[in-house]
Amino acid sequence: MTDRAPTDWRTDAMRRRIVRRYGAERRFRMFGLGAIILSAGFLAFLIVTMVMQGAAGFTETRVSLPIDFAAAELTVTPEQLRGDRGNLALAGAGLEGVVDGAAGAAFAQQGGAELLSDGAWLRVRDTLKANPGMLRGRTAIDVPVATDIDVAYKGDGTPEAEQVVAALGDRLSRGLNRDFFGNADATDPTRVGIWGALKGSLLTMFVTLILAFPIGVLSALYLEEYAPKNRWTDLIEVSINNLAAVPSIIFGLLGLAVFLGTFGLPRSAPIVGGLTLALMTMPVIVIAGRNAIKAVPPSIRDAALGIGASPVQVVFHHVLPLALPGILTGTIIGMARALGETAPLLMIGMRAFIAAPPEGLTDPATVLPVQIFLWSDEVARGFVEKTSAAIIVLLVFLLAMNGVAIYLRNRFETRW
Amino acid sequence: MTQKITAHDVNVFYGEKQAIRQVSIDIDQEDVTAFIGPSGCGKSTFLRTLNRMNDTVASARVEGDIRLDGEDIYSKDMDVVQLRARVGMVFQKPNPFPKSIYENVAYGPRIHGLASGKSEMDAIVEQSLTRAGLWAEVKDRLSDSGTALSGGQQQRLCIARAIAVDPEVILMDEPCSALDPIATARIEELIHDLRGRYAIVIVTHNMQQAARVSQKTAFFHLGELVEYGDTNDIFTNPREPRTTDYITGRYG
């Protein structure tokens, strides 16, 4: 065998190789940077569009409506206005008719009562309850306008509505739509609110969390720390992994068949939605939990066992606290997926039109993504901005959830 | 000499593979016993049978008779959790809990209910850290994380943690293999100081270390106990040719 000649590191071929290598490095970095910029751009585009369209959804257009209560002769005394009985008293006294009459008188050219939102008289009612003294005189109250005027004032209306807006001039004003945060679904877009869906989502997520988290974590702990490794546990592992990949609508059908069909639970209820989503979230938590538990170094288990800790003490004093940040991350990913889930909830009837926020776990309710889906399907123009506004609420909810998760993870994180 | 642990005809299997063959050995109460031998000879495996740490390996199977003060440690009546408190263990890589120094030491006494009250616990922690030769270095920062200590300090913390549950035997599985020479010397001094109070069994790769710290030495090879006797005899006058070969550095 002949000896190798000493390598010459200064030939042209070597130099070209170096140039090519630098080029490859530079290209790779550019591609990476390009990918990041592209995805950041898409994200920014999404957020900007949503905020621009949705911001209007949080506001309402009001018109100043002059009413002469003294002339209207409402048979109500200021004392009767207190509390819920006041609502009944004013409705019974025909306040709605008074408001319609006032609108007819003030805006005869612009369509009279048609100009106002269906909920305008409710605003008058609440104003009266706050200032009983108004009953005895003339006053002007800002009330919400009908949806076509509202849309036109915000700059996207029909030509007829645009004319009305021009005629009314500075009698129109804009303000924060408080009803949006207090109401549930409605047929009139100026009266819809997100609170019903938000509360439905909160209740549903609550059920999902208290079911899926403990069951998921305990399953993960048992499978990792206790279960013997045999064919049965392999089968369970494969099943859980498959379960995590099952399309969500299948879980909806399962929930329909089992919870509604077999157990006879109420339709559209957060408890059924929560149970269904818990089925979907649990495998995600089990998988994330097992990975987090696997990542706890075996030397910690040895150390605890070596001074006579029982297996349960090893798990709860050492393994679980160290795995908790990872488990929480997995849980939040699962919960975020559940929060955004629409399909399985359609199956169990959560797409119904529900005009009152749910009072409990068994009341009919809807959830944010389903509400968005329903509003996006509406014909009336006013729903476009409401849809975007609801999306913003959903995204803020998601961000808040992630924020809590990051906070918890940092709190439980152990420095090594 | 009282015999703390007696093992008779011990076989250990990992699945089909036999890791320990017919080992019989008596461990003295008063002495430090060293297990030496080339890598994979089974000395660590045998050490782990003495406090049943092999139970955690699903495929491991132990045959034979091992007694601690005459009690069969593999009998049904033996509580394995209490056994591991009585036979403490220090591992190859320092493995303090990611908790405070105080908590590291106090954890064992707490789960076994050895202290009734804060002051008693404080006393146990101080005594254990003192015996492990660490008290002077850490007494002002007991609430710092145990993992923030240097490697040698961590290993002494692990020894303090084992001492804190008041064991009868301490098993050490190559306790210095991850440490520098100065930290190693500290641990060896410590083993010297602890001798007599606890029966100590130490597995080591380092023959000089065995010669320095132990009174009895057992030489393992391919899962068999080749020779067992006074450390002086093993190193100066081995009976078996395989021992001679290992000690003179012909293999290992």
Side-chain angles (χ1 to χ4, degrees):
Chain A
M1 216 161 83
T2 52
D3 268 352
R4 278 172 63 179
T7 307
D8 183 1
W9 295 97
R10 295 169 185 285
T11 58
D12 282 348
M14 280 290 179
R15 211 159 280 146
R16 276 198 301 279
R17 191 168 291 125
I18 290 172
V19 169
R20 270 207 308 279
R21 202 174 68 217
Y22 278 97
E25 292 277 342
R26 211 167 29 242
R27 270 198 307 282
F28 179 74
R29 218 168 346 169
M30 300 266 282
F31 286 142
L33 198 64
I36 297 276
I37 290 172
L38 200 63
S39 39
F42 278 128
L43 187 68
F45 176 73
L46 173 82
I47 290 175
V48 167
T49 344
M50 281 304 144
V51 169
M52 287 201 352
Q53 288 190 3
F58 294 109
T59 62
E60 62 182 6
T61 308
R62 298 169 189 154
V63 65
S64 176
L65 175 69
I67 308 183
D68 186 354
F69 288 112
E73 292 177 349
L74 283 167
T75 54
V76 181
T77 62
E79 289 71 38
Q80 285 177 310
L81 292 183
R82 290 199 198 95
D84 285 342
R85 296 218 331 272
N87 293 350
L88 280 175
L90 284 171
L95 181 66
E96 192 170 2
V98 171
V99 172
D100 284 356
F107 310 119
Q109 305 299 312
Q110 291 89 21
E114 294 289 300
L115 182 69
L116 302 186
S117 152
D118 290 351
W121 75 277
L122 296 171
R123 190 67 57 84
V124 175
R125 180 190 74 188
D126 294 340
T127 315
L128 265 182
K129 283 174 69 185
N131 312 288
M134 285 181 175
L135 270 178
R136 281 189 289 276
R138 281 183 74 92
T139 184
I141 298 175
D142 282 347
V143 296
V145 298
T147 180
D148 50 340
I149 309 297
D150 181 51
V151 172
Y153 187 69
K154 285 167 181 167
D156 190 28
T158 56
E160 300 83 50
E162 300 277 7
Q163 279 172 10
V164 174
V165 169
L168 288 170
D170 61 359
R171 282 200 277 175
L172 291 172
S173 64
R174 216 164 162 182
L176 182 68
N177 186 352
R178 289 215 179 76
D179 289 347
F180 187 68
F181 300 104
N183 286 1
D185 204 0
T187 44
D188 179 352
T190 58
R191 290 187 62 198
V192 299
I194 201 66
W195 176 236
L198 188 62
K199 199 171 171 192
S201 270
L202 281 170
L203 292 171
T204 308
M205 286 296 107
F206 171 73
V207 174
T208 304
L209 186 66
I210 61 164
L211 283 174
F213 184 68
I215 296 178
V217 172
L218 289 176
S219 312
L221 279 176
Y222 181 79
L223 286 172
E224 269 316 305
E225 298 287 320
Y226 285 96
K229 303 275 174 272
N230 58 28
R231 227 181 315 156
W232 290 110
T233 45
D234 284 350
L235 192 70
I236 290 172
E237 180 166 357
V238 171
S239 308
I240 290 174
N241 289 347
N242 282 335
L243 217 52
V246 168
S248 57
I249 195 151
I250 311 286
F251 284 103
L253 283 168
L254 181 74
L256 176 66
V258 175
F259 301 131
L260 298 186
T262 309
F263 295 139
L265 290 168
R267 284 172 67 85
S268 309
I271 184 151
V272 181
L275 283 164
T276 308
L277 292 179
L279 286 178
M280 211 189 77
T281 311
M282 207 186 63
V284 179
I285 297 181
V286 174
I287 291 170
R290 290 187 69 170
N291 288 334
I293 292 164
K294 245 182 241 166
V296 174
S299 66
I300 294 296
R301 294 182 183 88
D302 281 349
L305 286 172
I307 52 171
S310 68
V312 170
Q313 287 169 332
V314 173
V315 166
F316 283 96
H317 295 168
H318 300 285
V319 176
L320 191 56
L322 290 174
L324 205 55
I327 295 176
L328 286 176
T329 309
T331 304
I332 231 66
I333 291 171
M335 293 295 289
R337 195 183 140 199
L339 177 65
E341 203 54 74
T342 319
L345 300 178
L346 301 180
M347 289 282 122
I348 54 156
M350 289 190 100
R351 62 161 302 169
F353 173 81
I354 290 149
E359 293 298 325
L361 291 178
T362 49
D363 280 1
T366 188
V367 292
L368 286 169
V370 177
Q371 190 69 80
I372 291 166
F373 167 71
L374 291 175
W375 285 350
S376 70
D377 224 19
E378 292 277 353
V379 191
R381 253 216 167 116
F383 276 109
V384 174
E385 58 183 38
K386 297 298 175 193
T387 307
S388 297
I391 290 172
I392 292 174
V393 171
L394 177 63
L395 290 179
V396 169
F397 193 171
L398 262 175
L399 286 179
M401 244 169 75
N402 280 336
V404 170
I406 290 169
Y407 170 75
L408 287 176
R409 197 173 56 202
N410 288 343
R411 249 201 78 175
F412 290 121
E413 192 105 84
T414 314
R415 312 249 173 271
W416 291 87
Chain B
M1 282 283 178
T2 48
Q3 266 137 26
K4 191 68 190 169
I5 297 176
T6 58
H8 195 69
D9 285 346
V10 175
N11 291 303
V12 180
F13 301 86
Y14 288 127
E16 294 296 301
K17 191 174 157 287
Q18 186 164 7
I20 295 288
R21 293 166 196 277
Q22 295 290 321
V23 169
S24 299
I25 193 170
D26 296 335
I27 310 284
D28 289 335
Q29 165 69 50
E30 308 292 327
D31 286 337
V32 174
T33 306
F35 291 176
I36 61 169
S39 297
C41 69
K43 54 193 191 300
S44 287
T45 298
F46 184 70
L47 189 78
R48 291 167 68 93
T49 62
L50 300 182
N51 69 344
R52 290 182 58 177
M53 280 300 277
N54 277 333
D55 289 14
T56 60
V57 182
S59 63
R61 188 159 53 83
V62 179
E63 286 174 0
D65 182 65
I66 303 178
R67 288 172 185 277
L68 175 68
D69 285 336
E71 278 179 84
D72 181 1
I73 67 168
Y74 280 88
S75 85
K76 283 198 166 56
D77 300 331
M78 174 57 71
D79 177 57
V80 63
V81 165
Q82 210 174 63
L83 172 73
R84 290 191 191 130
R86 289 170 64 191
V87 183
M89 191 156 194
V90 176
F91 296 85
Q92 188 169 2
K93 204 172 137 257
N95 56 355
F97 300 128
K99 300 177 189 234
S100 73
I101 294 170
Y102 184 95
E103 273 304 309
N104 263 283
V105 182
Y107 179 71
R110 182 170 302 136
I111 60 173
H112 294 293
L114 302 185
S116 60
K118 175 96 172 79
S119 58
E120 237 175 276
M121 185 62 89
D122 288 349
I124 289 179
V125 170
E126 177 173 351
Q127 191 194 42
S128 307
L129 285 169
T130 308
R131 280 195 193 153
L134 194 60
W135 177 251
E137 290 158 64
V138 301
K139 64 173 188 288
D140 298 325
R141 48 181 182 134
L142 290 175
S143 55
D144 285 10
S145 174
T147 50
L149 296 172
S150 73
Q153 288 174 323
Q154 287 189 13
Q155 195 61 297
R156 277 180 281 148
L157 179 61
C158 293
I159 293 174
R161 184 174 65 189
I163 290 172
V165 289
D166 197 23
E168 299 158 28
V169 183
I170 300 178
L171 309 176
M172 298 187 178
D173 190 359
E174 298 183 37
C176 303
S177 63
L179 305 183
D180 66 55
I182 294 170
T184 302
R186 290 295 308 269
I187 302 278
E188 288 179 8
E189 266 172 52
L190 179 57
I191 293 170
H192 219 73
D193 296 341
L194 296 176
R195 180 193 159 199
R197 189 181 291 279
Y198 312 100
I200 295 175
V201 185
I202 176 170
V203 164
T204 178
H205 258 355
N206 180 330
M207 278 179 286
Q208 286 78 19
Q209 185 171 60
R212 283 193 299 264
V213 301
S214 70
Q215 287 73 49
K216 294 277 196 135
T217 296
F219 171 59
F220 285 79
H221 186 231
L222 298 176
E224 287 172 40
L225 176 60
V226 177
E227 190 167 347
Y228 177 48
D230 286 347
T231 300
N232 274 335
D233 294 344
I234 295 270
F235 280 96
T236 55
N237 188 17
R239 289 188 309 265
E240 293 278 333
R242 279 192 285 176
T243 317
T244 318
D245 287 352
Y246 181 66
I247 284 166
T248 53
R250 201 150 317 157
Y251 62 85

